[in-house]
Amino acid sequence: MSRHLVFLGPPASGKGTQGRRLAEEKGLAYLSTGALLRSALRDDTELGKKARPFLERGEFVPDEIMVPMVLEWTAAQSDGWLLDGFPRTVPQAEALDADLDHEPQAIILHVPDDELRRRVSSRLECVDCHRVARDGEVETCPKCQGVLAPRADDGSANFENRLEAYRRLVIPTVTYYCDRWRARIVNGTGSPDTVYARVLG
Ligand SMILES: [Zn+2]
């Protein structure tokens, strides 16, 4: 398996859960651009101010904000990384390829839309470490005991917008990696353990 990985998949496909686990096991640095943006929004940083209007509408944050932010991060990693939520567009994938000696491999999680809607309606996230949990399953974050809350961007209209943006922008990005023989599509339905075994397989 490559030491440079990107996870692609629709919202609520389990990218965060699977990506975090894989990165931890393989000793790769992990970046969730979604979690980073949500923290920036909450702390109202420069980045948060720029990203807010897009995130509130369920739109993707534009390439000219995302690309420099991620490339700065990857440049600071010396021993492999895994990206969750980036690249989301073909220009982002091209920028990542142009900047690298090692071409990243893509892992794509596929989950049917109805299953995604079911998942998102019961999804909670730790406000501190961004670990995902299901409503009713646990009281506090299993990792850091932080407070669990619904994600601000998980409202139904917002979710449908993100799903639409995924089809419009990320599917061509998936094709970009497929065309270059650097993609593996993984069935993302079933328990996290089942999916993880497929990711490794
Ligand atoms: Zn936590």
Side-chain angles (χ1 to χ4, degrees):
M1 199 177 269
S2 168
R3 302 284 296 166
H4 297 100
L5 297 172
V6 300
F7 258 67
L8 303 176
S13 59
K15 291 190 303 292
T17 306
Q18 300 295 331
R20 237 176 272 264
R21 184 167 170 185
L22 185 63
E24 214 163 279
E25 239 167 68
K26 302 278 177 192
L28 303 172
Y30 170 83
L31 178 69
S32 161
T33 49
L36 186 74
L37 289 169
R38 289 193 296 280
S39 299
L41 215 60
R42 201 183 55 216
D43 302 339
D44 206 27
T45 63
E46 259 333 284
L47 173 66
K49 285 188 179 74
K50 278 194 270 184
R52 183 181 304 278
F54 302 99
L55 294 172
E56 282 180 347
R57 291 194 298 264
E59 288 171 15
F60 286 175
V61 177
D63 295 344
E64 54 274 25
I65 299 176
M66 295 304 294
V67 169
M69 183 184 92
V70 172
L71 294 187
E72 190 185 322
W73 182 85
T74 54
Q77 310 308 320
S78 52
D79 186 28
W81 42 253
L82 188 155
L83 292 173
D84 161 13
F86 186 97
R88 271 183 163 165
T89 64
V90 171
Q92 289 180 6
E94 287 170 345
L96 195 59
D97 276 354
D99 196 63
L100 277 178
D101 304 332
H102 309 282
E103 296 179 325
Q105 298 285 138
I107 296 175
I108 296 119
L109 287 182
H110 176 74
V111 179
D113 290 358
D114 285 349
E115 169 71 16
L116 296 172
R117 291 191 184 96
R118 246 195 316 276
R119 287 183 185 185
V120 84
S121 63
S122 68
R123 174 159 77 168
L124 298 175
E125 189 184 69
C126 173
V127 298
D128 293 319
C129 76
H130 305 292
R131 197 190 157 112
V132 173
R134 298 242 155 262
D135 203 2
E137 239 169 38
V138 280
E139 297 283 305
T140 55
C141 173
K143 191 174 175 196
C144 77
Q145 267 67 59
V147 175
L148 297 173
R151 267 173 48 169
D153 58 356
D154 270 353
S156 159
N158 189 303
F159 179 75
E160 293 301 325
N161 282 347
R162 282 155 62 215
L163 202 53
E164 196 278 321
Y166 175 78
R167 289 198 201 96
R168 188 161 38 87
L169 297 169
V170 187
I171 297 292
T173 313
V174 170
T175 307
Y176 176 92
Y177 285 108
C178 288
D179 285 349
R180 286 158 184 78
W181 300 97
R182 288 195 271 133
R184 206 152 57 76
I185 296 174
V186 173
N187 172 358
T189 58
S191 75
D193 284 345
T194 309
V195 177
Y196 189 67
R198 291 191 199 118
V199 168
L200 290 179

